[in-house]
């Protein structure tokens, strides 16, 4: 007779060296926190003048003034990408090309002086083309791959750190969809730290043997990439 297979929750709890009771308490605390945040955003926001709560609630309101301008600018950026899918309009040239996409489509009152589309993915694709967007996303894909591998093979401490870093990078990507952390140096400094931690966890979770590589194999492609 086949034995009962363990519930996945038990497996995950053992991986983190947590008791089932501690795991359940953590799950309940997380659920209460999420429900509390939803309550604050949807209920309290209608009865308070707190600017931060109002700002959070505006995310879900497409009729908000900021969202109207953002959605229109996204539509213009998509058209820009369609016109220049491979090469883009050039780094730094989005704001120079954007006005002609406004012309004849919106009234003068709607022609806001936006200098970026408030969406890093559309911004990169418009300026550097679809290939540029793919290159932009590759480091994020590698970071998540490293963190998954570290989660599978690392210690319980490494697993927790891998989850924290995964959440941090996911948070950065979420902000990138509505804002422009790509332009802010302190956001890039944090992102570099997240990537370094991901690489460190990955290397620490797997034994890496030394590899002899001739310097020319590294220097030549690097110099060609810089010149390009």
């Amino acid at each position: 007779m086949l034995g009962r297979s363990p519930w996945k929750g038990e497996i995950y709890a053992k991986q983190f060296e947590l008791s089932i009771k501690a795991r359940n308490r953590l799950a309940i605390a997380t659920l209460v926190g999420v429900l509390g945040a939803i309550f604050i955003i949807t209920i309290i926001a209608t009865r308070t003048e707190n600017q931060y709560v109002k700002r959070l609630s505006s995310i879900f309101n497409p009729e908000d003034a900021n969202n109207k301008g953002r959605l229109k600018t996204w539509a213009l950026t998509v058209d820009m990408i369609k016109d220049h899918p491979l090469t883009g309009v050039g780094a730094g040239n989005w704001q120079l090309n954007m006005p002609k996409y406004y012309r004849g489509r919106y009234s003068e009152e709607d022609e806001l002086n936006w200098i970026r589309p408030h969406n890093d993915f559309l911004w990169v694709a418009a300026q550097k083309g679809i290939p540029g967007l793919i290159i932009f996303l590759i480091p994020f894909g590698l970071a998540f791959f490293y963190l998954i591998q570290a989660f599978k093979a690392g210690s319980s401490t490494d697993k927790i750190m891998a989850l924290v870093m995964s959440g941090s990078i996911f948070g950065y990507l979420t902000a990138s969809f509505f804002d422009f952390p790509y332009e802010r140096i302190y956001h890039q400094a944090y992102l570099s730290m997240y990537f370094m931690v991901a690489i460190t966890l990955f290397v620490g979770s797997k034994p890496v043997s030394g590899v002899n590589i001739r310097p020319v194999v590294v220097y030549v492609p690097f110099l060609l990439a810089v010149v390009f």
Side-chain angles (χ1 to χ4, degrees), residues 35-72:
L35 293 177
I38 295 175
F39 174 78
I40 291 174
I41 294 173
T42 58
I43 305 299
I44 299 180
T46 61
R47 304 175 182 177
T48 182
E49 296 299 324
N50 185 285
Q51 60 174 328
Y52 299 107
V53 176
K54 289 289 187 182
R55 191 71 177 267
L56 283 173
S57 63
S58 71
I59 295 175
F60 305 97
N61 180 15
E63 297 302 319
D64 184 85
N66 290 326
N67 290 338
K68 280 186 175 181
R70 182 179 287 107
L71 291 174
K72 288 181 179 180

Side-chain angles (χ1 to χ4, degrees), residues 213-228:
I213 300 178
R214 298 177 60 186
V216 67
V217 176
V218 177
Y219 294 151
V220 172
F222 175 75
L223 291 174
L224 289 175
V226 171
V227 171
F228 176 75

Side-chain angles (χ1 to χ4, degrees), residues 146-205:
Y146 292 155
L147 292 171
I148 291 172
Q149 296 303 312
F151 182 85
K152 291 179 178 179
S155 63
S156 59
T157 302
D158 290 345
K159 294 179 190 296
I160 294 174
M161 182 60 71
L163 284 179
V164 172
M165 288 298 101
S166 297
S168 299
I169 296 175
F170 181 77
Y172 175 93
L173 291 174
T174 302
S176 296
F177 197 84
F178 301 99
D179 208 346
F180 42 94
Y182 184 54
E183 186 182 76
R184 294 184 169 125
I185 187 60
Y186 52 90
H187 284 164
Q188 297 306 304
Y190 279 118
L191 182 62
S192 298
M193 182 184 67
Y194 301 154
F195 285 165
M196 287 188 287
V197 173
I199 294 171
T200 302
L201 291 174
F202 173 72
V203 174
S205 65

Side-chain angles (χ1 to χ4, degrees), residues 20-35:
I20 299 300
K21 184 182 292 186
R23 190 278 323 275
N24 291 337
R25 288 176 178 174
L26 182 60
I28 292 173
T30 302
L31 180 61
V32 170
V34 172
L35 293 177

